[in-house]
């Protein structure tokens, strides 16, 4: 087995074998999660710190739950109440956390490349929990885990990613991961929200959601990332919902046993109708559960490396 690098910064850097190893480890972690007593000794004596410069519900809580289930010491830096608010810069903040004997720093930041910058300056392993528009590797791993659990394989599946591709780190990480595992990926959305060179990543691009999801095995809706858009890239939210939102009628264009994914948080009635969010094709809540299993696997595999 190829050893993981010190840090998990993106799926672009991982081999198919490394991705598969994380997915296989997560199966064991999901079994542990299903037990009445979820406590294991995998991370006894390890110190894990979450450092989030952007808001989060799922990623932060699931990393913290994962670390606690495996008996790690956990700390959470709230940027608003830390010395960041006194002007301390990113590298000094990370070095300060590192100097406390931290084994893993989990970082989310609005700047693409922030985790890479930290990784080059600390001994701790750095795990990217979302950097700007670049990557969100553990989100894609949990998405791929969910698809594989339901479909048995990734190879040969048609996966359509629909919405704000341009600003989506989730889309980028999924494209890297899914194509490495042999899926056929298409993206769909308004031309202003699809990067012109996206086909270089090995995907087909459509400006029609109907074309993108035709015969798909998996449809992944994405949130409109208004916080990252510099100017209006579509006329109005209601027009976006009308032309690019996924509802029950549009979902019938995909295969009858299609899976509907969304990384959350969902803006109901915009990218997905409420009926599909809560419908029988939706695996959105299972994605959240699998997020804990994947983060348990990642924390175990990456902090274990530093022991070797
Ligand atoms: N999917 C995701 O990253 O959700 P949060 O922003 O709630 O962590």
């Amino acid at each position: 087995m190829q050893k993981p690098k010190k840090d998990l910064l993106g799926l672009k850097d991982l081999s198919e074998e490394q991705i598969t190893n994380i997915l296989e480890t997560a199966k064991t972690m999901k079994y542990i999660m299903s037990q009445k007593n979820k406590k294991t000794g995998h991370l006894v004596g390890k110190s894990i710190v979450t450092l989030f410069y952007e808001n989060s519900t799922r990623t932060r809580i699931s990393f913290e739950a994962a670390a606690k289930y495996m008996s790690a010491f956990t700390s959470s830096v709230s940027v608003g109440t830390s010395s960041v608010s006194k002007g301390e810069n990113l590298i000094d903040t990370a070095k300060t956390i590192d100097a406390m004997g931290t084994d893993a720093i989990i970082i989310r930041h609005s700047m693409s490349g922030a985790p890479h910058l930290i990784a080059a300056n600390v001994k701790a392993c750095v795990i990217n929990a979302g950097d700007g528009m670049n990557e969100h590797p553990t989100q894609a791993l949990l998405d791929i885990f969910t698809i594989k659990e339901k479909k048995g394989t990734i190879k040969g599946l048609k996966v359509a990613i629909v919405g704000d591709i341009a600003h989506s780190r989730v889309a980028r990480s999924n494209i890297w991961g899914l194509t490495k595992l042999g899926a056929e990926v298409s993206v769909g959305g308004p031309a202003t929200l699809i990067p012109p060179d996206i086909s270089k990543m090995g995907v087909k691009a459509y400006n029609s959601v109907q074309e993108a999801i035709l015969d798909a095995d998996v449809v992944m809706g994405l949130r409109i990332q208004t916080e990252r858009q510099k100017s209006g890239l579509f006329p109005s939210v209601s027009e976006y919902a009308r032309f690019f939102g996924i509802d029950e009628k549009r979902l019938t264009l995909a295969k009858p046993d299609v899976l509907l994914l969304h990384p959350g948080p969902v803006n109901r009635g915009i990218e997905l109708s409420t009926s599909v969010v809560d419908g029988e094709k939706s695996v959105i809540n299972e994605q959240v559960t699998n997020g804990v299993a994947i983060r348990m696997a990642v924390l175990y595999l990456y902090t274990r490396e530093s022991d070797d």
Side-chain angles (χ1 to χ4, degrees), residues 55-60 108 136 139 263-265:
N55 294 339
S56 167
T57 299
R58 293 150 199 78
T59 313
R60 184 172 187 151
R108 171 171 286 191
H136 191 347
Q139 177 67 47

Side-chain angles (χ1 to χ4, degrees), residues 215-236:
D215 287 331
D217 297 286
V218 177
V219 172
M220 185 182 296
L222 296 177
R223 186 174 64 84
I224 297 291
Q225 308 254 316
T226 43
E227 71 274 28
R228 299 190 210 290
Q229 294 179 10
K230 293 197 172 59
S231 59
L233 294 173
F234 50 89
S236 69

Side-chain angles (χ1 to χ4, degrees), residues 52 54-62 108 129-130 136 138-139 142-143 169-170 223 262-265 287 295:
F52 276 49
E54 284 189 334
N55 294 339
S56 167
T57 299
R58 293 150 199 78
T59 313
R60 184 172 187 151
I61 293 173
S62 59
R108 171 171 286 191
H136 191 347
T138 57
Q139 177 67 47
L142 76 88
D143 295 337
R169 53 199 179 201
V170 175
R223 186 174 64 84
H262 190 295
Q287 287 175 265
R295 286 161 183 139

Side-chain angles (χ1 to χ4, degrees), residues 16-307:
E16 179 185 349
E17 187 191 17
Q18 287 169 321
I19 294 172
T20 303
N21 186 36
I22 296 170
L23 300 177
E24 288 300 313
T25 308
K27 277 191 199 168
T28 308
M29 299 309 183
K30 189 163 180 185
Y31 173 75
I32 291 168
M33 280 175 69
S34 71
Q35 304 300 298
K36 270 196 186 135
N37 180 1
K38 299 173 177 55
K39 197 86 171 164
T40 78
H42 286 95
L43 297 184
V44 166
K46 301 282 185 195
S47 168
I48 312 284
V49 175
T50 56
L51 173 62
F52 276 49
Y53 287 79
E54 284 189 334
N55 294 339
S56 167
T57 299
R58 293 150 199 78
T59 313
R60 184 172 187 151
I61 293 173
S62 59
F63 264 118
E64 288 172 6
K68 284 178 176 148
Y69 289 164
M70 295 189 293
S71 308
F73 302 108
T74 60
S75 314
S76 174
V77 180
S78 296
V79 165
T81 55
S82 71
S83 289
V84 171
S85 65
K86 299 177 203 163
E88 189 162 50
N89 71 29
L90 179 63
I91 293 178
D92 288 344
T93 301
K95 282 184 170 173
T96 301
I97 295 167
D98 197 42
M100 293 176 190
T102 303
D103 295 288
I105 300 173
I106 298 157
I107 177 172
R108 171 171 286 191
H109 203 285
S110 59
M111 185 181 79
S112 297
H116 306 66
L117 194 59
I118 289 187
N121 283 280
V122 297
K123 288 196 294 297
C125 94
V126 174
I127 298 172
N128 182 359
D131 64 322
M133 301 188 288
N134 181 39
E135 283 222 40
H136 191 347
T138 57
Q139 177 67 47
L141 287 166
L142 76 88
D143 295 337
I144 294 168
F145 182 89
T146 305
I147 298 168
K148 198 168 176 195
E149 193 177 49
K150 297 280 174 193
K151 298 284 185 191
T153 183
I154 299 297
K155 200 171 175 61
L157 290 182
K158 288 180 80 169
V159 181
I161 307 177
V162 178
D164 184 356
I165 309 296
H167 301 93
S168 177
R169 53 199 179 201
V170 175
R172 264 174 205 80
S173 285
N174 265 292
I175 292 170
W176 287 122
L178 287 164
T179 54
K180 282 177 198 218
L181 298 188
E184 190 185 306
V185 181
S186 62
V187 297
T192 48
L193 294 180
I194 303 227
D197 57 353
I198 195 82
S199 58
K200 287 188 188 153
M201 293 183 78
V203 303
K204 286 186 195 146
Y206 298 96
N207 295 136
S208 138
V209 66
Q210 289 89 340
E211 281 184 84
I213 71 177
L214 192 66
D215 287 331
D217 297 286
V218 177
V219 172
M220 185 182 296
L222 296 177
R223 186 174 64 84
I224 297 291
Q225 308 254 316
T226 43
E227 71 274 28
R228 299 190 210 290
Q229 294 179 10
K230 293 197 172 59
S231 59
L233 294 173
F234 50 89
S236 69
V237 165
S238 61
E239 272 199 280
Y240 178 86
R242 198 166 133 225
F243 289 106
F244 296 99
I246 298 167
D247 57 14
E248 281 174 297
K249 187 164 174 241
R250 284 202 175 132
L251 212 48
T252 60
L253 295 168
K255 294 216 174 99
D257 60 348
V258 66
L259 297 179
L260 177 71
L261 283 82
H262 190 295
V266 177
N267 290 128
R268 287 171 182 257
I270 302 176
E271 65 267 14
L272 300 182
S273 69
T274 281
S275 61
V276 298
V277 172
D278 300 326
E280 58 174 17
K281 316 276 189 207
S282 170
V283 290
I284 295 172
N285 287 332
E286 282 154 275
Q287 287 175 265
V288 175
T289 304
N290 292 337
V292 181
I294 282 289
R295 286 161 183 139
M296 287 172 79
V298 163
L299 287 175
Y300 169 61
L301 291 170
Y302 279 78
T303 59
R304 193 183 60 158
E305 281 307 301
S306 59
D307 293 338

